[in-house]
Amino acid sequence: MRNYFQFVLQAVLVVFVLVVALAIPTYAQQTRGDINGKVVDEQDRVVPGATVTATNKGTGEARTATTNDSGDYTITQLPPGKYDLTVEAKNFSKALAQDFELNLGAKVTQNFELKPGEVTATVQVTAEGVAVQTTTSEIGKSITPTEFQNLPLLNRTFASLSLIAPEARPVGNFDPTKTHVGNIAFAGGDGRQVDVNVDGGDNKDNVVGSLLQNFAYESIQEFQVLEHNWTAESGRSVGGVVNVISKSGTNDLHGSGFFNFRSQSLRAKDFFEKLTTDPKPSYDREEYGGSIGGRIIKDKLFFFGAVERFRERQNLLVNPALLPEIAAIPGVTASPTIPLPYNDTLITIKIDHNVSDKQSMFYRYAFQKNDSPNDQFDGGQPADLAGGNTNTNKLTSFVVNHTYTFSPRVLNQFSFQYQNFENNILGVTTDPNIIFPSVQSGANVNVPQQTKERKFQFRDDVSVLSGKHALKFGMNYIHTLLTGFFFF
């Protein structure tokens, strides 16, 4: 009887997978893009059996497809980057479209017109720039590598670039762990509902929502912002989807370096500071880091790494008229300023491996650690230094991705992610919180607290091209362990 039930269960699962496969149209996974088009001759007659090859100019990785009886082709699940597209068919000259740029999540069309001639002859084709994608109903915007390099950014938080997308807006910090995280929202939301994926791995805070881990800005290649009509594979969100991919090494050695600083002498008084005769509070802000990437084995094995450091020192003025009241509190030392330091370190390391012409892998490790020794100070009500908290965050994530091409029409992509997050918010004093008419003293009522998240994610996607139909089905399993404490 037990074997019978096992057989029935297996049969039901098989039927379910088949039904899903036949019902869901294909879409690129969060880390990929698709190229499709039609191949015709000079008389606009379709050319079946033509071989279309897309070669990544940075890594040399190549994928092929064959046109069907209608002359159509599709190359799915390609890593974003610049490609050379070639088309070869019997009794026709080779057609070549150079420097074809494929962005994250894009589903673009590149058509070819072949001319009669020798196969050894090559005809240059201009890559088509399609302004409107006609193969998807998704509404959103891709933040391209060019925009990453040229657009100004105040704090090098990659999420801030999402604001150039329609409907996106900045939102405030709704949780102590988000004090220095760039938060965005769509359609009137508060930012908790946004689903963020980095290299195919879930990067959403499962306690309070929104972005969890920041990544070195130098390590981000591009990302996609979806406001409406995203597909079922991104269906865990109700307030927008952000898909991010990190940079990879190429056959050419490349790198970057930067140093930004802003000192007290370069900082002007703000509106409220101009209303007083007090001197400007001391201020010092430094951002520095860089990246490097290249090949270990040409066309086979590549490396990339990036590191960034953020250091900020600023002081908040306390109204001098209130200093006598603060000093009158037993055990409290009055001070004209409250120091608000912040430190942040980000590291990203990535290895890409073209195992064979059928399979490729990448491994990405990311680390972030920041601390605010006097975080959450309530500037709205003067207080002594005891009103702040020590806020520390440590985050690590590891993603491994494997892509296997069974045939030009069947492709499988598997990814695994491990992510760990620990936040500690502790008071700088154990004295009880006492509130006076004009000042307050003692530990913040919001402490102590701790949050720990340990996340395991397994995901598999299968893409199948059958005639004029493109199908996709898969599984995404996320298991999160949540621990911590919260005492008032």
Side-chain angles (χ1 to χ4, degrees), residues 69-89:
D69 293 338
S70 301
D72 298 315
Y73 76 92
T74 298
I75 306 178
T76 186
Q77 304 280 20
L78 287 170
K82 284 193 174 182
Y83 286 83
D84 284 343
L85 294 177
T86 61
V87 181
E88 297 178 90

Side-chain angles (χ1 to χ4, degrees), residues 262-306:
R262 183 181 174 193
S263 65
Q264 181 181 8
S265 60
L266 299 175
R267 174 185 172 274
K269 283 188 174 183
D270 61 28
F271 175 81
F272 297 100
E273 291 170 348
K274 290 179 180 179
L275 299 179
T276 70
T277 58
D278 301 322
K280 288 188 300 184
S282 61
Y283 184 87
D284 180 71
R285 175 173 177 163
E286 301 164 0
E287 297 173 289
Y288 52 91
S291 66
I292 186 171
R295 73 187 186 200
I296 301 175
I297 303 175
K298 185 178 180 180
D299 294 339
K300 284 289 186 181
L301 196 60
F302 310 90
F303 74 94
F304 177 84

Side-chain angles (χ1 to χ4, degrees), residues 198-199 201 362-365 397-401 415-418:
V198 181
D199 291 325
F362 73 76
Y363 315 84
R364 193 265 297 148
Y365 169 80
S397 64
F398 176 74
V399 173
V400 57
N401 181 287
S415 61
F416 165 77
Q417 177 188 226
Y418 168 77

Side-chain angles (χ1 to χ4, degrees), residues 35-204:
I35 301 176
N36 59 69
K38 182 182 287 290
V39 179
V40 298
D41 61 15
E42 290 183 306
Q43 282 71 44
D44 203 31
R45 294 175 298 193
V46 300
V47 180
T51 301
V52 184
T53 303
T55 304
N56 189 304
K57 299 196 69 173
T59 65
E61 182 181 5
R63 293 268 304 281
T64 62
T66 304
T67 57
N68 59 19
D69 293 338
S70 301
D72 298 315
Y73 76 92
T74 298
I75 306 178
T76 186
Q77 304 280 20
L78 287 170
K82 284 193 174 182
Y83 286 83
D84 284 343
L85 294 177
T86 61
V87 181
E88 297 178 90
K90 187 177 181 180
N91 300 324
F92 290 96
S93 299
K94 179 191 296 185
L96 170 64
Q98 289 184 309
D99 296 330
F100 185 95
E101 185 166 359
L102 180 66
N103 295 124
L104 175 65
K107 306 165 185 66
V108 296
T109 301
Q110 175 65 51
N111 298 319
F112 290 90
E113 181 182 292
L114 301 185
K115 300 181 181 300
E118 298 293 331
V119 177
T120 54
T122 301
V123 177
Q124 189 84 14
V125 177
T126 302
E128 300 176 1
V130 182
V132 179
Q133 296 185 19
T134 60
T135 57
T136 177
S137 61
E138 293 176 336
I139 299 176
K141 176 178 175 57
S142 292
I143 313 300
T144 66
T146 301
E147 291 172 315
F148 253 89
Q149 294 174 7
N150 298 309
L151 289 177
L153 194 63
L154 175 64
N155 55 11
R156 298 184 63 84
T157 301
F158 75 88
S160 299
L161 277 184
S162 302
L163 300 179
I164 67 177
E167 299 188 26
R169 66 179 182 88
V171 291
N173 302 313
F174 49 75
D175 183 81
T177 65
K178 299 293 183 289
T179 305
H180 293 87
V181 175
N183 294 320
I184 60 170
F186 305 94
D190 61 3
R192 295 177 185 263
Q193 304 88 358
V194 179
D195 191 16
V196 183
N197 303 281
V198 181
D199 291 325
D202 178 72
N203 190 40
K204 185 176 183 178

Side-chain angles (χ1 to χ4, degrees), residues 367-394:
F367 170 84
Q368 179 187 12
K369 182 180 181 181
N370 59 53
D371 62 83
S372 304
N374 194 29
D375 192 34
Q376 295 186 71
F377 177 78
D378 185 6
Q381 182 177 12
D384 66 288
L385 183 59
N389 309 313
T390 59
N391 189 349
T392 61
N393 294 278
K394 184 177 180 181

